[in-house]
Amino acid sequence: MNRKDIETLAEWILEGGPFVVLTGAGMSTESNLPDFRSRQGLWAQYDPARLATEWAMENRPDEFYAFYRMRVEALKAASPNRGHGILADWERRGLLSAIVTQNVDGLHQEAGSRRVVELHGSLRTARCRACGAKSPGVRLLEGPLCPACGGRLRPDVVLFGENLPEASLEEAERLASTARLFVVLGSSLAVSPANCLPGVAAACGAKVAIVNREATPFDGRAHLVIQRGIGEVLAETDRVVSEKETLKGPV
Ligand code: APR
């Protein structure tokens, strides 16, 4: 791994000012949850149009619910990885301001991160299509009926073609436009409007770094691109940050 890139990222983190991270499914592959678009990703095995749309929920309920039950089941065996832990620790140390995530696995919160904006909802909850009541996501495993009104439950995630939760999107745009450092971790930046956030941050003067195993459409506009595993990059960066913090001593 290029030591200079890690040094640069560590320096930018220590410069102070709002530091915001945008995470994608690549953040959770080291927790044994598949991403979507890499070779072994979910969309290499399943067709999102047949499974992750409102149309699928209406017209192919058996396939739709089987797909989401499989994903809720996989969550039960998943736990935060070292990358999730480092981000939570950076928040506790006052280095990281907030995480905007496209992920629906809840692993940032489970690792202890408190300021997490979920753009695409969460598989940790299910919601009733009739009364809107929320239930734990695992209720989908017992059958799709709302415990409050008997209506049909659905996963509390944004399906293709649906709008994102307005408040989450507004908060994400506010965080991106006021960030001094904006770091993308494990996203192909293929899906809008999440993939507009690095551009918003850069346009408002932030330094933008991308840590992703594969190239993204934003690489040419980023100030730093590190094509390595997130866990190793964050562990290396945290080591350098801690060294520099020690050298700086108490202020
Ligand atoms: N370290 C670094 N990069 C990784 C790692 C890792 N350990 N694991 C995977 N990656 C990279 C992959 O190479 C890929 O480029 O993470 C990226 C994940 O991209 P996607 O699978 O497209 O996931 P994401 O960008 O989050 O997708 C956005 O699309 O299907 C919708 O709603 C879904 O939220 C999702 C959205």
Side-chain angles (χ1 to χ4, degrees), residues 5-6 8-10 12-13 19-23 179-187 189 197-199 201-202 206-212 216 218-219 221-227 233-234 237:
D5 288 345
I6 297 295
T8 302
L9 185 55
W12 289 355
I13 290 170
F19 164 27
V20 176
V21 157
L22 169 66
T23 61
R180 187 200 40 75
L181 175 59
F182 191 87
V183 177
V184 179
L185 298 174
S187 178
L189 296 177
L197 294 173
K207 288 192 183 90
V208 177
I210 296 177
V211 180
N212 201 61
T216 80
F218 196 84
D219 287 0
R221 293 174 57 198
H223 301 88
L224 179 64
V225 177
I226 303 178
Q227 289 191 351
V233 170
L234 292 185
T237 305

Side-chain angles (χ1 to χ4, degrees), residues 1-7 9 30 82 210-212 224-240:
M1 186 172 352
N2 180 329
R3 165 89 191 176
K4 187 178 162 313
D5 288 345
I6 297 295
E7 289 273 351
L9 185 55
E30 293 173 47
R82 60 178 170 168
I210 296 177
V211 180
N212 201 61
L224 179 64
V225 177
I226 303 178
Q227 289 191 351
R228 303 288 313 200
I230 292 166
E232 58 177 333
V233 170
L234 292 185
E236 268 297 291
T237 305
D238 186 44
R239 204 177 50 71
V240 175

Side-chain angles (χ1 to χ4, degrees), residues 144-161:
L145 297 185
C146 168
C149 78
R152 204 158 175 77
L153 284 179
R154 57 161 286 171
D156 198 16
V157 297
V158 178
L159 300 174
F160 281 108

Side-chain angles (χ1 to χ4, degrees), residues 24-25 29-30 36-37 43 102 120 187-188 212-214 230:
T29 53
E30 293 173 47
F36 296 97
R37 293 174 185 81
W43 299 151
Q102 300 172 85
H120 295 162
S187 178
S188 62
N212 201 61
R213 275 216 190 99
E214 294 168 277
I230 292 166

